[in-house]
Amino acid sequence: MIILAIGQGARTELKVPSDPRVFTGGDCANGGAEIVNAAAEGVTAAKRIHEFLGGVVR
Amino acid sequence: MLTDEQLAANFADIAPPLTNDAALLEANKCLFCHDAPCTIACPTHIDVPAFIKKIASGNLRGSARVILSANPFGHSCARACPVEVLCEGACVLNERDEQPIKIALLQRHATDYVLEKKLKLFAPGKPTGKRVAIVGAGPAGLACARDLRCAGHAVTVFEAKPQPGGLNTYGIAEYKLKADVALAEVQDIVDLGIELKTGVTVTSINTLLGEFDAVFVGVGLGSTKKLGIPGEELPGVIDALTFIEHLKTHPRRSRRRAGAVRPTCRRITMSTSWPRRMAASSGSTPHRSELSETAPSLGWNWPAERRSPAT
């Protein structure tokens, strides 16, 4: 058996439009990092989305 | 062939949990730094001295609340974080030539407690009437979903795979994070009233924008890259993610075959050690020069002590 572990590629078939209503985070946005980086980016994105939807960020 | 017991031992927790007494002892070693470098080093900035203090005073629920309010994936991070370069690497005790506080194990102690007791620490916020779509039920998407739900937004998560959790469920080495723990952590988040649609591949973000007020894209990195050399499609050649996913979703069976692994840093450890844990007669990490004479030399060699695959 030969296992290829030469890095991962992004899901290219999904087009992400440049739209203020679209936010990104995690491996697809940081090129691949740890769980904790993905969680941190998800939390930050939630704050940005909440603010974008008119909510108050503490 | 390995026995079932030997296989289970090879895939057992690489860092077993602390007992209650050991956790109390460890928590009381913390200096509770005012300018806590561990908190600064953590990408989610968990208030580490605060959660350790709560463990020291026997308040495991409060401790878990401190952890999970900053990091919705506190359970899996306690098991799979590279803490030696993050919180524990920043611990001031390192500078006194002492062992750093076992922050990851303490975090696991507190978060395991709420998972075992099925305590609900968070509740959905007052409905705002806004709808958000999340594409990808990995740590990024679900962390975003949890906080949006707590803020009162209606959240729908789309996931292509049959199970949620992303690489937490399908791609983290089992001796670090078991799929059932990853799924329990996810369930805790989904229970806040998040609509989860698994087995659904989103093909157009623009279509979602017609239905939702905002979209979060956290699709991760898909397939492993291709080498682009002849023979890559032959049976017996498999990419690391597919290999690990197969192991995590199928009953383990011992193999007595040689395994060769073409390494990069991210999947190297688990990809080289797993064939050994499964009793392959060998697992090796050929250097670039061994695979193709035409490949340019990087002028770098894998350190000798790292060549042994069974670590």
Side-chain angles (χ1 to χ4, degrees), chain B residues 288-309:
Chain B
R288 181 182 287 261
S289 58
E290 293 172 54
L291 290 173
S292 167
E293 289 176 9
T294 56
S297 167
L298 296 177
W300 177 82
N301 282 304
W302 199 250
E305 70 273 13
R306 298 290 294 278
R307 283 186 188 142
S308 164

Side-chain angles (χ1 to χ4, degrees), chain A residues 1-11 13-17 19-47 49-55, chain B residues 43-44 71-72 77 81-82 130 132 140 143-144 147-148 151 153 168 201-202 205-206 209 213-218 220-225 227 232 236-241 243 258-264 266-267:
Chain A
M1 178 190 271
I2 298 171
I3 300 169
L4 301 182
I6 54 170
Q8 295 155 249
R11 234 191 92 191
E13 64 267 37
L14 186 68
K15 298 271 180 291
V16 181
D19 186 301
R21 293 170 292 170
V22 178
F23 301 78
T24 63
D27 276 2
C28 70
N30 64 27
E34 304 296 335
I35 304 170
V36 68
N37 299 98
E41 288 164 29
V43 166
T44 305
K47 285 198 181 86
I49 294 169
H50 183 56
E51 205 169 18
F52 174 77
L53 296 176
Chain B
T44 59
N71 181 351
C77 284
C81 247
K130 302 283 187 187
V132 182
C144 185
D147 281 7
L148 286 170
H153 305 296
N168 275 16
T201 304
V202 170
I205 302 291
N206 281 321
L209 284 170
D213 298 296
V215 177
F216 176 82
V217 181
L221 294 172
S223 55
T224 307
K225 288 174 189 162
L227 275 172
E232 206 172 353
V237 182
I238 187 172
D239 71 82
L241 276 180
F243 173 65
V261 176
R262 179 70 182 88
T264 57
R266 255 175 81 68
R267 301 267 160 223

Side-chain angles (χ1 to χ4, degrees), chain B residues 44-288:
Chain B
T44 59
H45 305 306
I46 293 173
D47 190 342
V48 177
F51 94 68
I52 293 182
K53 190 78 201 171
K54 287 185 194 303
I55 292 175
S57 65
N59 179 6
L60 292 181
R61 182 195 171 105
S63 177
R65 195 179 168 81
V66 170
I67 296 161
L68 297 172
S69 59
N71 181 351
F73 280 82
H75 299 95
S76 46
C77 284
R79 290 166 165 82
C81 247
V83 285
E84 64 284 356
V85 295
L86 296 171
C87 54
E88 291 184 17
C91 179
V92 293
L93 293 180
N94 288 301
E95 289 179 29
R96 303 204 315 196
D97 291 331
E98 290 177 28
Q99 288 294 311
I101 299 296
K102 295 182 180 112
I103 299 170
L105 284 174
L106 288 172
Q107 180 167 321
R108 176 170 172 181
H109 186 67
T111 51
D112 273 1
Y113 174 80
V114 296
L115 214 55
E116 275 161 24
K117 300 272 176 193
K118 299 191 186 334
L119 300 177
K120 298 292 173 200
L121 302 183
F122 300 92
K126 198 169 144 236
T128 60
K130 302 283 187 187
R131 301 184 68 206
V132 182
I134 309 270
V135 187
L142 288 172
C144 185
R146 205 262 332 239
D147 281 7
L148 286 170
R149 190 73 198 112
C150 288
H153 305 296
V155 180
T156 305
V157 180
F158 298 91
E159 170 57 49
K161 293 240 183 234
Q163 297 285 351
L167 287 182
N168 275 16
T169 303
Y170 289 106
I172 304 287
E174 197 173 323
Y175 47 89
K176 282 188 185 171
L177 178 63
K178 297 200 171 6
D180 57 346
V181 176
L183 288 172
E185 182 178 40
V186 166
Q187 194 56 48
D188 213 32
I189 293 173
V190 172
D191 283 347
L192 286 167
I194 287 162
E195 189 184 5
L196 174 65
K197 293 188 171 179
T198 51
V200 178
T201 304
V202 170
T203 52
S204 165
I205 302 291
N206 281 321
T207 310
L208 287 181
L209 284 170
E211 242 186 280
F212 294 89
D213 298 296
V215 177
F216 176 82
V217 181
V219 291
L221 294 172
S223 55
T224 307
K225 288 174 189 162
K226 298 287 175 204
L227 275 172
I229 57 174
E232 206 172 353
E233 306 306 322
L234 291 174
V237 182
I238 187 172
D239 71 82
L241 276 180
T242 309
F243 173 65
I244 294 165
E245 183 178 324
H246 182 87
L247 286 190
K248 292 195 77 158
T249 50
H250 291 74
R252 275 193 294 274
R253 274 180 304 163
S254 184
R255 295 276 191 277
R256 198 179 281 282
R257 287 276 189 77
V261 176
R262 179 70 182 88
T264 57
C265 57
R266 255 175 81 68
R267 301 267 160 223
I268 178 68
T269 319
M270 63 178 96
S271 299
T272 52
S273 76
W274 277 32
R276 293 294 287 152
R277 284 171 205 271
M278 298 191 68
S281 61
S282 70
S284 63
T285 57
H287 189 255
R288 181 182 287 261

